[in-house]
Amino acid sequence: MQWFNRFIVWILPIFPKSFIWLFSRRYIAGQSLLDGIEKTKELNQSGCCATIDVLGEDIHSLSEATLAKEECMHVLDTIQMNMLDSNHSLKLTQLGLKIDKKKCFQNVKDIVQKAKQLNNFVRIDMEDSTCTTDTLEIYRKLRKTYNNVGAVIQAYLMRSQEDVRQLIEEGIAHLRICKGIYDESPEIAYKDREKIKENYIQMVEMVLDSGGYVGIATHDRGVINRIIEMIRSGGYPSSQFEFQMLLGVTEHLRKELVSQGYRLRVYVPYGDQWYGYCTRRLKENPQVAGHIIKNIFIRK
Ligand SMILES: Cc1cc2nc3c(=O)[nH]c(=O)nc-3n(C[C@H](O)[C@H](O)[C@H](O)COP(=O)(O)OP(=O)(O)OC[C@H]3O[C@@H](n4cnc5c(N)ncnc54)[C@H](O)[C@@H]3O)c2cc1C
């Protein structure tokens, strides 16, 4: 079956977008903010909180960065108006990181300031390794004034434990830990899945031990079980952590954790740039493509 799944992913580009949409829509809330809000309401009703993300591809000008900033502000206002249990995730490249770092800082600062006024929180997603140092630098600068902002650390990066150690030392370890989604070189990133898992679990423990806050972003049942064991034996309070999952992924596991009383946040992407996001998800786990295709053709 493996070859079939990979084949499906390989031929994705030749399918019309409307066809891809059929099996992508479980991963994104829809094309508009209203769709994101509706999905978040559903999730809140089922006991999950959310983080809303605006999908966007590369930007090429500061005016596009300003538009992206305005959309982020609109997201925060709309969350507030609808009294939803959701914060906001964003990417610094959308706000101009690769064009003008100073302007990018100002953009994200405005958003975090707005979130502060609304008693909300902003999570800065981590992008590929060309962004890591700049992203953490901006995070550090923001944390001098604001405590309602957090960063993301990728377990596949060899530098990550040292980053976590330093952030702990600086007293600003409010971190989402994920495995990492980009294709990085073996010079800087672990490729061995077991090594990545070990690194992941160690960093979660480091943050918990330091009294910081950790978003445990994974669908890996083995990793989750080990972390739950660690939390139980270490007696860490629930105010120090939450689980996080992507929309449309391992919903059974999500429900299990919610039924056990754990705080679980679902990442809710929306936007008209859904195509790039969905094809990335499908490439990451080609098995899904096979299942979805089967569901489309085999109607029970
Ligand atoms: C809330 C959240 C935020 C994230 N933010 C970032 C970020 O800022 N930067 C970044 O680089 N990465 C981010 N990621 C992605 C992350 O780095 C991983 O690439 C992704 O979560 C898959 O890793 P995993 O830990 O779930 O383990 P995996 O070993 O990849 O998956 C474990 C199991 O989960 C299931 N699964 C995983 N992915 C899928 C899928 N797409 N469809 C169906 N089933 C699937 C499968 O059953 C698989 O066996 C984020 C992930 C989450 C959950």
Side-chain angles (χ1 to χ4, degrees), residues 35-50:
D35 296 322
I37 293 298
E38 284 309 311
K39 185 53 76 182
T40 301
K41 270 185 198 161
E42 264 174 47
L43 287 163
N44 284 176
Q45 277 157 13
S46 70
C48 301
C49 50

Side-chain angles (χ1 to χ4, degrees), residues 26-27 51 91 124-127 152 154 156 176 178-182 193 197 200 217-221 244-246 248-250 265-267 281-282 284-285 287-288:
R26 63 179 280 200
Y27 294 114
T51 184
K91 292 180 181 57
I124 303 174
D125 285 350
M126 187 56 84
E127 300 176 70
V152 177
Q154 296 154 323
Y156 63 14
R176 171 197 297 156
C178 64
K179 286 185 185 169
I181 207 169
Y182 300 88
R193 295 179 72 81
K197 287 184 198 184
Y200 191 111
T218 181
H219 317 93
D220 187 325
R221 186 182 279 277
Q244 300 185 351
M245 292 187 188
L246 300 173
V249 179
T250 58
R265 188 176 303 281
V266 179
Y267 191 97
R281 291 273 98 75
L282 291 169
E284 185 193 343
N285 192 332
Q287 222 188 336
V288 183

Side-chain angles (χ1 to χ4, degrees), residues 27-296:
Y27 294 114
I28 62 161
Q31 307 212 13
S32 70
L33 176 54
L34 194 63
D35 296 322
I37 293 298
E38 284 309 311
K39 185 53 76 182
T40 301
K41 270 185 198 161
E42 264 174 47
L43 287 163
N44 284 176
Q45 277 157 13
S46 70
C48 301
C49 50
T51 184
I52 299 182
D53 165 61
V54 187
L55 293 173
E57 292 294 310
D58 267 1
I59 61 154
H60 301 101
S61 67
L62 286 178
S63 56
E64 286 175 293
T66 305
L67 284 178
K69 174 180 93 171
E70 281 160 10
E71 182 72 11
C72 292
M73 306 278 234
H74 187 41
V75 168
L76 287 165
D77 273 332
T78 314
I79 290 172
Q80 168 82 2
M81 264 159 41
N82 287 274
M83 293 186 293
L84 296 174
D85 186 354
S86 176
N87 61 35
H88 179 37
S89 287
L90 53 77
K91 292 180 181 57
L92 292 186
T93 53
Q94 288 306 120
L95 299 171
L97 184 69
K98 298 271 187 182
I99 304 170
D100 182 337
K101 236 174 19 171
K102 266 195 182 157
K103 183 70 188 154
C104 174
F105 174 71
Q106 192 53 49
N107 282 339
V108 65
K109 185 167 176 270
D110 291 348
I111 296 166
V112 173
Q113 165 70 32
K114 168 111 194 165
K116 182 89 191 165
Q117 284 162 3
L118 298 173
N119 202 20
N120 208 331
F121 178 87
V122 173
R123 174 77 59 189
I124 303 174
D125 285 350
M126 187 56 84
E127 300 176 70
D128 69 60
S129 59
T130 63
C131 302
T132 313
T133 300
D134 289 342
T135 301
L136 291 179
E137 187 188 313
I138 287 180
Y139 173 60
R140 286 186 163 95
K141 259 173 93 180
L142 288 166
R143 285 293 304 225
K144 288 196 172 127
T145 317
Y146 303 100
N147 62 2
N148 63 318
V149 57
V152 177
I153 293 287
Q154 296 154 323
Y156 63 14
L157 285 189
M158 292 169 181
R159 60 176 281 172
S160 288
Q161 277 217 19
E162 183 53 23
D163 285 331
V164 171
R165 201 191 55 72
Q166 280 176 20
L167 293 167
I168 288 172
E169 212 174 277
E170 293 161 43
I172 55 170
H174 194 311
L175 304 173
R176 171 197 297 156
I177 299 196
C178 64
K179 286 185 185 169
I181 207 169
Y182 300 88
D183 192 16
E184 300 291 356
S185 117
E187 319 262 285
I188 58 163
Y190 301 118
K191 295 290 169 184
D192 178 63
R193 295 179 72 81
E194 291 309 310
K195 176 72 201 162
I196 297 170
K197 287 184 198 184
E198 286 311 313
N199 205 29
Y200 191 111
I201 294 166
Q202 280 168 19
M203 291 192 295
V204 169
E205 191 169 22
M206 283 165 75
V207 179
L208 289 172
D209 273 345
S210 75
Y213 190 87
V214 62
I216 304 154
T218 181
H219 317 93
D220 187 325
R221 186 182 279 277
V223 169
I224 290 174
N225 286 344
R226 284 181 59 190
I227 290 174
I228 288 179
E229 188 48 46
M230 178 205 295
I231 285 168
R232 284 191 184 139
S233 60
Y236 301 107
S238 58
S239 56
Q240 261 196 277
F241 67 91
E242 65 187 37
F243 290 97
Q244 300 185 351
M245 292 187 188
L246 300 173
L247 187 66
V249 179
T250 58
E251 283 164 15
H252 51 286
L253 185 54
R254 181 171 99 198
K255 285 178 188 149
E256 249 178 65
L257 291 177
V258 171
S259 72
Q260 288 170 35
Y262 291 111
R263 184 164 175 79
L264 197 141
R265 188 176 303 281
V266 179
Y267 191 97
V268 178
Y270 81 88
D272 52 9
Q273 304 288 335
W274 58 272
Y275 184 74
Y277 179 84
C278 290
T279 45
R280 267 203 307 280
R281 291 273 98 75
L282 291 169
K283 280 181 188 146
E284 185 193 343
N285 192 332
Q287 222 188 336
V288 183
H291 288 315
I292 294 162
I293 298 276
K294 261 202 284 177
N295 285 335
I296 288 171

